[in-house]
Amino acid sequence: MISPAFASILASGRAQFNARAVEARRRFPSLDMAAFGAFLHDGVDPLVQAVAAAASERVGGVTLAAYDMALELVGHGLAGPAAKNPFLNTVWRELAPQLSTLLATAPIAVLGMLSNAAVHIASVAGARPAQWQRELAALAPQIATLAQLRAVGQVLAWRAGVAHFRLGALAAADTLPPALALAAFGEPGAQWPQVHAQLMANPWRGNAEGREFGSFSGLGGAFGTPPQVRATVDGCGFAVRSAERHYLLVADAYGAVLHSATAQEFEQAPSAPPASVRLDGATVHIGARSIALDLPAGDIALAANAHTLAITSPWTHAIRLLPLA
C-alpha cells in the first residue's frame, strides 16, 4: 500500500497521471506497468512522503515530476523490480528523501542528478556505490544548493572508487564552502587549502600500501592473459595490454578504473621505471623502502608514472600498484 499522501495526490489527478502513463506506453512499448507500479511504491512514495513533511505546498509538483521520470526510467529498464542494476531503486528509496528540502524546490534537477550518478557509479567496476550513497546521505543536511549537491556527489564518487574523477572532484571541491569540502573528505577541523594541496600533490594520500588490480577474465576479471603495463605519455595512468586488448588504467588511494585504449597508445607509452626504483630478485626498492614481492624472481616487470609504480609478472593476472612517495 502507498502512503495516504501519495494516494491522495494520485486520486486527485487521476486523469492527468493516466494520460501520462498512456503516452509513456506509446514511447516505450515494452513498458511493464506492473514494474512501474512497484517502483511507484518502492521508489517514489518514500520521497513524496519526505517532501510532504518538509514542504507540503510543493508535494504536488514533486509528485508529478517524479511520476514522469519514473515512467521513463522503468521504460528504459533502469528502475523497477527488473532493473539492470538495482542501485538506482535504492537511491530513490533511501537517498532522495534525505534531500527533501532541495527536492521540493528542484525535483527534476535533483532526481535527474541522483539518477545519472547512480547509473554511472554502479557501472564502474570496482566502485563502491553503497559507500557513495551512505556518505552523501550523511552530508545531505549540509547541502543547500544544486551546485553543492553536484560537487559533493562528484567528490564522494571519487572517494568511492571512481579514480578518473580525481582532478574534476578536486576542482569541484574548491567551489564548496570549506567546511563542506572538509566534511566530504572526512576531515572536519582541518584547513581546506592544506588538504587540497596535499591531495593535488599526492594521489595516494592516506593509502601508503597501494592496491592490487585485475584478475583472470575466466573468473570474472579483466584480463585474458597476464597484463603488460607501461606508463602513459601524460604520466597520469598506465597503458595496459592483455590478450591483444588494450586499456588505460587510472589508480589512486581510493580506487582503480580500467578504460578502453588503443594499441598505438600502448606502443607510444614509455616503459622504463625511474632511477629511484630498483628490482633485486623479488624485492623492489623504492628510494629507501624495500618491498618483498610474492612473485617468482626473473620475469617481474616494472613501470612507473609520476606517482605510482606498477608491477606485473607472467605468473599473475593482477597488477600491483605501489605509491612512489
Side-chain angles (χ1 to χ4, degrees):
M1 294 288 292
I2 61 175
S3 66
F6 192 22
S8 175
I9 294 169
L10 290 177
S12 64
R14 187 182 305 278
Q16 185 180 22
F17 287 114
N18 285 345
R20 281 170 149 75
V22 170
E23 170 60 19
R25 293 193 70 178
R26 185 190 66 78
R27 291 189 294 129
F28 307 108
S30 62
L31 175 62
D32 184 341
M33 294 308 293
F36 174 64
F39 186 60
L40 288 181
H41 178 275
D42 182 62
V44 178
D45 194 15
L47 64 88
V48 170
Q49 292 183 62
V51 173
S56 59
E57 72 281 4
R58 295 183 180 272
V59 70
V62 172
T63 301
L64 191 61
Y67 188 94
D68 284 344
M69 194 171 294
L71 280 167
E72 186 165 351
L73 291 172
V74 175
H76 282 296
L78 297 172
K84 299 169 186 175
N85 190 304
F87 182 57
L88 189 145
N89 294 339
T90 304
V91 165
W92 275 56
R93 181 180 64 248
E94 299 178 10
L95 179 57
Q98 304 299 315
L99 295 156
S100 57
T101 301
L102 194 55
L103 190 61
T105 61
I108 294 175
V110 171
L111 290 175
M113 200 177 298
L114 292 178
S115 298
N116 288 334
V119 170
H120 181 78
I121 196 169
S123 71
V124 176
R128 301 176 293 279
Q131 174 188 323
W132 177 81
Q133 177 196 331
R134 181 178 66 253
E135 293 183 351
L136 186 52
L139 293 176
Q142 302 179 51
I143 296 173
T145 67
L146 285 171
Q148 290 180 4
L149 175 60
R150 183 180 294 106
V152 171
Q154 189 170 2
V155 169
L156 296 183
W158 171 37
R159 284 171 46 85
V162 187
H164 57 287
F165 274 16
R166 175 174 170 264
L167 293 179
L170 284 170
D174 261 343
T175 69
L176 295 170
L180 182 53
L182 290 166
F185 284 97
E187 300 191 34
Q191 296 297 313
W192 172 243
Q194 285 84 352
V195 171
H196 178 271
Q198 292 168 12
L199 289 165
M200 282 295 295
N202 181 15
W204 292 96
R205 180 180 182 270
N207 180 346
E209 301 301 317
R211 65 178 63 257
E212 191 170 276
F213 177 85
S215 58
F216 178 46
S217 58
L219 299 175
F223 303 129
T225 60
Q228 297 173 286
V229 175
R230 294 181 178 182
T232 56
V233 174
D234 62 12
C236 295
F238 292 97
V240 183
R241 178 167 64 192
S242 171
E244 303 308 316
R245 300 188 67 178
H246 299 84
Y247 308 92
L248 170 66
L249 174 63
V250 180
D252 63 15
Y254 298 126
V257 178
L258 199 65
H259 302 280
S260 295
T262 66
Q264 183 179 18
E265 288 172 306
F266 181 85
E267 296 300 335
Q268 290 176 343
S271 57
S276 60
V277 177
R278 180 171 58 87
L279 184 64
D280 181 12
T283 300
V284 63
H285 304 276
I286 306 174
R289 291 181 292 156
S290 296
I291 302 166
L293 306 174
D294 55 349
L295 294 168
D299 294 311
I300 297 171
L302 306 178
N305 60 28
H307 302 285
T308 310
L309 175 67
I311 303 170
T312 55
S313 165
W315 300 99
T316 177
H317 288 78
I319 302 170
R320 180 80 183 273
L321 299 159
L322 297 176
L324 286 176

